[in-house]
Amino acid sequence: MFKWPWSQKFAPSKHPGDEHLLAFVDGELSGSRAERVRKHLDACWPCRTRKQKIDLAIARFVEADQQFLLGKEPPGGWRGFEARLRQADSDLALASSGVRWFRLQPALKVAFGVVLVVAVIVAGTVWVATQKPAVSEADAPAVLRKPKAKPAEAPAQPAPEAVRPKIPPEVPASEPTQAMIVEKAVEIEFALHQTGACLGGEGRVIIARNGLRVVLVPATAERTARLNAALATVDRPAWAAVEFPVASEALRLQRAMLPPANAVPDRVELAAPPAESVLREYLKNHPEHREPPNADTEAAAANLSNTVVTQASAAVREAWALRRLAQDYGARELPVNAAPKLQAMAHDHACAIREYVERAGATISLVFGQPRPPVTASAGPWPQTVQQIFRSAEDLEARVGLLFAGDASSVPADVARRLAEDPQTAAREMLALVAHIIGHLDAMSPP
Amino acid sequence: MNAGLATAGQADLGRADPRQTTSSAIREEVTSLFVALREQVYRQTLRVVRIPAEAEDITQEAFLRLYVHRRKGARIENPRAWLIQIAYNLAIDRIRAARGVTLMGEESARFAWVEDSSPVLDDVLVEQEKRRSVHRALEELSPQERRCMDLRVAGLRYREIAAVLGVRISTVQTNLARAIRKIVAKLDV
């Protein structure tokens, strides 16, 4: 009788076990074994379904991993490495001078380990002690004084409430619920957001176990006044403390609040921005696009370059602020009043990013004569989408900096050379990035 | 920054003759490696110790050890693997040292250290996360299974994972497959 050719493939002994299938998925099988599994999967629905579940499990794990890593940049910004190298140099010099350093080392390690452990306990105890009351009774009056400072002098007072003290001294001892804290945090964030504090790393709301801290690092005295005015519009209970850190601490915090600078070790030096000649050629033939209209080609080209670079940088700052929101609030269940505010803030940042990259993309497309690739929306959990937007915005900024400003400090050497030698391809890649970012923005939906 | 891996790996250390290399040349070499590889090592260490400040400290320590090793004339075939191994060992040591003091016998895989300025997850929020299936599954992973998954998501091959953990490749396979099975079981498909 006629034997169906695929009956053999359904023989139970041919189904790959879990480990075998996973090894196949991970590319750990040799060529012939992998080929056998691939052929089996072509024919076997149950095994193909198992493989799909493995893929899904991996995707969920990666998601959880990325969520965990989100926003956890090294707090010290990698400072101190040079100092460690110098210390190692002097240790090595000591060793080579004949001191029995290496013999001592194990004992020293133990001693160091003990000191470290003690330091951890001490640090932990100190941290716990500072966390317990967000604001103690004695501190409340001092915190109150700051917002009261200026509203009396302001000429146009929108409402008399701005002047009233925020907290009656006899605050009940009951602790706020997490929902109350989150709601208040979002309310304060929203107030600060209106002043653009999130973009300059000037304000950060830190949620703790039993309260919250608002850390403000304003750039100027005028900004201090504006931030205080914004805070004055929000009811602040005793457990919502405001801090203006001292100068040295402020600098460290501000650096931690801003997008990191991504420098590469071996940067390429460019004689001129690779896009310069393309820009000039374009503006020579299209004088109607010169800005200002009576500018000569060189000046107009420089202006246009500046504009694109500024747009790319602004997009990164907005993406950074958006990502911080996702990091701080993305994993939380939001109280009813907080969700619309969070959505509004996220929407503001998203719109700003979209506008900046859209404009930059339009300029690049025009000048290089490259079509805009279609936008493909791809949905995903909010924190992941936002992380991708941020990384793409950074990538775009680095490329724009290279092409329009001749700044290769954030681009690896081989990539820099490739882009510099072929600006048309560079333009295509930037436009693809723009489409990518816009696609993610369109698909994004905050909680 | 993966371009750095190719250029800053074999080539730099391969052509350096330990006897001729001056300390400043080694320093430049290690500093290059530091900039190119620190994020990778940091992320992997962070998965193990969970605390950014600790992970940063351990990462720097690992590169420091690389520097000292090179200054003593050793050649390192694969700096990336070496660094990940060292950083992993340091992380485990640090956890064991802290455990004895702060956790007092608790066997949980979550380390009860306090975080610095990042928001502290309240018990309510931890419960919320737990309700998400993948997190429930991750809690069920044994430490060994979790280590294998963390190293795998960092991009290490089975052979490399086995080297870092000091086990057989088959052990790595078994642990990964078990971990995946546990996650699959909790998937709401």
Side-chain angles (χ1 to χ4, degrees), chain B residues 11-42:
Chain B
D12 290 339
L13 293 179
R15 66 166 182 261
D17 181 350
R19 286 163 299 162
Q20 307 287 24
T21 309
T22 61
S23 71
S24 63
I26 293 179
R27 188 186 254 225
E28 225 180 85
E29 169 196 310
V30 171
T31 308
S32 286
L33 280 173
F34 181 60
V35 176
L37 298 178
R38 66 192 179 193
E39 295 294 340
Q40 237 188 65
V41 177
Y42 172 75

Side-chain angles (χ1 to χ4, degrees), chain B residues 109-129:
Chain B
R110 289 182 184 277
F111 303 103
W113 289 6
V114 290
E115 304 206 357
D116 43 9
S117 58
S118 17
V120 176
L121 283 182
D122 195 24
D123 293 321
V124 170
L125 296 164
V126 169
E127 278 309 303
Q128 227 128 316
E129 268 202 35

Side-chain angles (χ1 to χ4, degrees), chain A residues 120-179:
Chain A
V120 166
I121 308 169
V122 168
T125 318
V126 166
W127 189 90
V128 168
T130 56
Q131 283 303 101
K132 275 208 180 61
V135 172
S136 69
E137 293 288 24
D139 283 347
V143 165
L144 277 178
R145 247 174 256 136
K146 282 194 172 68
K148 257 169 64 172
K150 30 89 262 126
E153 282 80 69
Q157 270 307 319
E161 288 88 351
V163 192
R164 69 162 191 257
K166 292 289 165 278
I167 304 143
E170 58 277 3
V171 163
S174 63
E175 292 205 337
T177 63
Q178 194 67 17

Side-chain angles (χ1 to χ4, degrees), chain B residues 139-184:
Chain B
E139 288 216 325
E140 286 177 23
L141 299 188
S142 74
Q144 186 78 306
E145 286 162 8
R146 187 55 192 264
R147 299 272 177 265
C148 288
M149 291 291 278
D150 283 343
L151 289 166
R152 182 69 194 96
V153 78
L156 275 67
R157 309 309 307 256
Y158 290 7
R159 179 181 36 87
E160 293 173 313
I161 298 174
V164 170
L165 297 177
V167 300
R168 291 206 302 269
I169 296 184
S170 56
T171 309
V172 173
Q173 272 185 280
T174 309
N175 277 304
L176 285 175
R178 264 208 305 263
I180 295 284
R181 254 201 302 277
K182 289 181 183 176
I183 298 174
V184 168

